[in-house]
């Protein structure tokens, strides 16, 4: 039975969202931040590193409040000071909360829960049916969106009204890839097509034909990038108005390290990162021509941590990415620390690096003249400023 096998498993797929001015997590989910880059890490503004039950979730960070969870509790803390605002008990761990229109929602093993972001007061709950599994949650302009996996294996995509929790619409029976929301449109890959829906009504307004199923897609302005589910995991670009195929890019695969791209779309560029192989690639958005490529980290760490680095973020012309490095004195095959790199978007050249003696577990989140990270031991906020050198530069490989 699906209930017995999958009920304890919560797979939270974080969709890419842009154009959602009311969604505090939209910047983090596109990977692009509109604010200023920081020139380095001058120190730690605050750190919370005790009394947590299990590993922490990825953080949802706004300028006012940072939300994160351990295995039992959802926390809201002041982003500037780290002081606790409120807590809420959860039924098991969650991966990352979602913020829409002043409401924070999350999935645990019992279902979907929505709270007032300011107070933590419960607004509504949707219990998981015993024969189904809720397999993701993300916010749009008006809704909490999620996959529901039925006992017979069908997977449908549903939208709940953010204020009431009532179902607004549902779509499809085989929605397997990661959909994304861009403004008032929802893009859903399904088999060899991408369905475009009106986010508010769920009405289908367009279909983009492709040669095969897309593992993932990214959309910005009139450009859609898709990673095909083929042997090469090739990257393809489409014009959203004409549906024309514009270009294709194929990364030379490193033996035994099959690529899977995280895609960030910039104004005129496409950033691809492959956490398992350690490759960071920048393409021209109009032609697909490779502008630069770097290899970061130690490939062996991919077997232990699932990758050589975490997914990056971009602000202005700076790319931030945390890499597992060094060697653990007690466990020789394991990393000893994480290093946060700042790279120039246009050239790939290193601007600065900062060694975090703990391990950075998720993409960092930029705030006003600072950055929030989650580590093995807790959560902390860096102060931006002249970078503090903590160690000699560690080597990286560059093509």
């Amino acid at each position: 039975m699906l209930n017995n096998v999958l009920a304890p498993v919560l797979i939270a797929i974080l969709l890419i969202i842009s154009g959602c001015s009311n969604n505090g997590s939209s910047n983090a989910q596109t990977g692009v931040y509109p604010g200023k880059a920081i020139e380095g890490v001058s120190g730690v503004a605050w750190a919370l590193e005790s009394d947590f039950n299990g590993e922490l979730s990825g953080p949802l960070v706004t300028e006012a409040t940072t939300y994160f969870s351990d295995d039992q509790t959802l926390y809201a803390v002041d982003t500037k000071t780290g002081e606790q605002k409120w807590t809420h008990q959860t039924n098991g761990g969650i991966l990352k909360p979602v913020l829409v229109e002043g409401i924070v929602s999350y999935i645990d093993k019992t279902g979907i829960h929505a709270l007032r972001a300011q107070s933590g007061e419960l607004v509504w709950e949707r219990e998981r049916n015993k024969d189904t599994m809720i397999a993701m949650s993300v916010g749009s302009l008006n809704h909490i969106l999620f996959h529901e996996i039925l006992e017979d294996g069908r997977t449908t995509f549903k939208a709940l009204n953010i204020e009431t929790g009532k179902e607004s619409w549902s779509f499809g029976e085989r929605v397997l890839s990661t959909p994304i929301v861009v403004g008032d449109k929802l893009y859903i890959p399904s088999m060899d097509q991408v369905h475009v829906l009106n986010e508010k009504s769920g009405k289908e307004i367009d279909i983009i034909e492709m040669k095969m199923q897309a593992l993932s897609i990214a959309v910005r302005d009139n450009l859609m990038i898709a990673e095909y589910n083929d042997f090469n995991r090739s990257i393809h670009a489409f014009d959203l108005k004409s549906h024309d195929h514009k270009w294709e890019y194929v990364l030379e695969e490193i033996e035994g390290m099959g690529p899977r791209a995280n895609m960030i779309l910039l104004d005129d560029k496409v950033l691809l990162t492959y956490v398992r192989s350690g490759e960071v690639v920048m393409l021209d958005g109009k032609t697909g021509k490779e502008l630069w490529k770097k290899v970061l980290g130690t490939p062996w760490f991919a077997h232990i941590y699932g990758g050589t680095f975490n997914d990056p973020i971009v602000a202005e012309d700076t790319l931030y990415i945390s890499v597992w490095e060094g060697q653990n004195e007690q466990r020789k095959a394991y990393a000893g620390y994480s290093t946060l790199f700042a790279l120039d978007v246009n050239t790939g050249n290193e601007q600065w690096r900062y060694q975090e003696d703990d391990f950075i577990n998720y993409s960092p989140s930029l705030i006003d003249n600072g950055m929030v990270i989650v580590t093995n031991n807790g959560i902390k906020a860096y102060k931006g400023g002249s970078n503090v050198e903590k160690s000699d530069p560690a080597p990286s490989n560059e093509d």
Side-chain angles (χ1 to χ4, degrees), residues 137-186:
S137 175
V138 70
S140 64
L141 292 172
N142 305 282
H143 297 107
I144 297 298
L145 308 168
F146 67 98
H147 273 145
E148 189 166 57
I149 303 174
L150 307 179
E151 186 179 15
D152 59 9
R154 289 180 295 129
T155 303
T156 186
F157 193 66
K158 295 187 176 183
L160 304 184
N161 181 283
I162 186 60
E163 287 289 343
T164 66
K166 293 182 179 180
E167 185 173 318
S168 297
W169 52 263
S170 63
F171 177 83
E173 294 184 341
R174 289 182 57 80
V175 181
L176 302 176
S177 299
T178 306
I180 63 171
V181 178
V182 181
D184 62 353
K185 294 183 177 66
L186 175 64

Side-chain angles (χ1 to χ4, degrees), residues 98-358:
V98 171
L99 176 62
V100 179
E101 293 288 356
I103 293 179
V104 173
S105 68
Y106 68 91
I107 293 176
D108 61 18
K109 63 184 179 182
T110 63
I112 303 177
H113 312 266
L115 315 172
R116 295 290 177 197
Q118 204 165 31
S119 65
E121 175 190 2
L122 182 66
V123 180
W124 54 262
E125 295 179 298
R126 179 188 174 99
E127 293 186 0
R128 181 186 66 85
N129 185 292
K130 65 177 182 178
D131 294 325
T132 67
M133 173 184 164
I134 298 173
M136 76 170 192
S137 175
V138 70
S140 64
L141 292 172
N142 305 282
H143 297 107
I144 297 298
L145 308 168
F146 67 98
H147 273 145
E148 189 166 57
I149 303 174
L150 307 179
E151 186 179 15
D152 59 9
R154 289 180 295 129
T155 303
T156 186
F157 193 66
K158 295 187 176 183
L160 304 184
N161 181 283
I162 186 60
E163 287 289 343
T164 66
K166 293 182 179 180
E167 185 173 318
S168 297
W169 52 263
S170 63
F171 177 83
E173 294 184 341
R174 289 182 57 80
V175 181
L176 302 176
S177 299
T178 306
I180 63 171
V181 178
V182 181
D184 62 353
K185 294 183 177 66
L186 175 64
Y187 296 79
I188 304 180
S190 179
M191 303 305 290
D192 55 355
Q193 297 176 327
V194 174
H195 302 269
V196 185
L197 310 186
N198 177 282
E199 180 275 333
K200 187 173 184 179
S201 67
K203 181 180 178 181
E204 186 171 78
I205 55 179
D206 199 3
I207 297 177
I208 302 169
E209 301 286 348
M210 296 189 294
K211 291 184 177 180
M212 62 182 64
Q213 184 182 13
L215 287 169
S216 58
I217 61 174
V219 172
R220 179 164 178 161
D221 299 326
N222 195 39
L223 181 67
M224 182 180 77
I225 306 296
E227 181 181 17
Y228 276 4
N229 188 19
D230 58 5
F231 179 77
N232 294 314
R233 296 283 175 85
S234 53
I235 307 297
H236 299 258
F238 295 86
D239 184 288
L240 285 177
K241 291 183 179 179
S242 66
H243 296 189
D244 290 343
H245 183 274
K246 299 181 65 175
W247 51 259
E248 176 184 5
Y249 174 82
V250 179
L251 179 77
E252 292 184 10
E253 184 174 346
I254 296 178
E255 185 176 355
M257 304 291 287
R260 177 71 182 269
N262 175 69
M263 302 181 290
I264 295 179
L265 304 191
L266 308 175
D267 286 336
D268 57 354
K269 299 179 180 68
V270 177
L271 174 66
L272 308 176
T273 51
Y274 299 86
V275 300
R276 290 194 61 82
S277 64
E279 287 162 294
V280 182
V281 183
M282 189 68 75
L283 306 179
D284 183 285
K286 293 183 179 180
T287 66
K289 180 182 178 181
E290 187 177 291
L291 301 177
W292 57 263
K293 181 171 71 174
K294 296 178 74 76
V295 180
L296 297 174
T298 303
W300 172 254
F301 290 156
H303 298 288
I304 300 171
Y305 305 108
T308 68
F309 53 71
N310 287 308
D311 289 336
I313 62 170
V314 175
E316 293 185 312
D317 287 331
T318 303
L319 161 68
Y320 302 94
I321 190 167
S322 63
V323 181
W324 287 283
E325 292 194 319
Q327 186 178 82
N328 188 296
E329 294 182 0
Q330 284 73 40
R331 308 174 75 184
K332 298 301 183 183
Y334 288 72
Y337 52 84
S338 288
T339 298
L340 178 67
F341 286 88
L343 307 179
D344 185 283
V345 162
N346 297 306
T347 64
N349 294 335
E350 181 181 323
Q351 296 178 333
W352 54 264
R353 67 176 66 193
Y354 178 81
Q355 180 179 313
E356 172 57 55
D357 294 332
D358 199 350

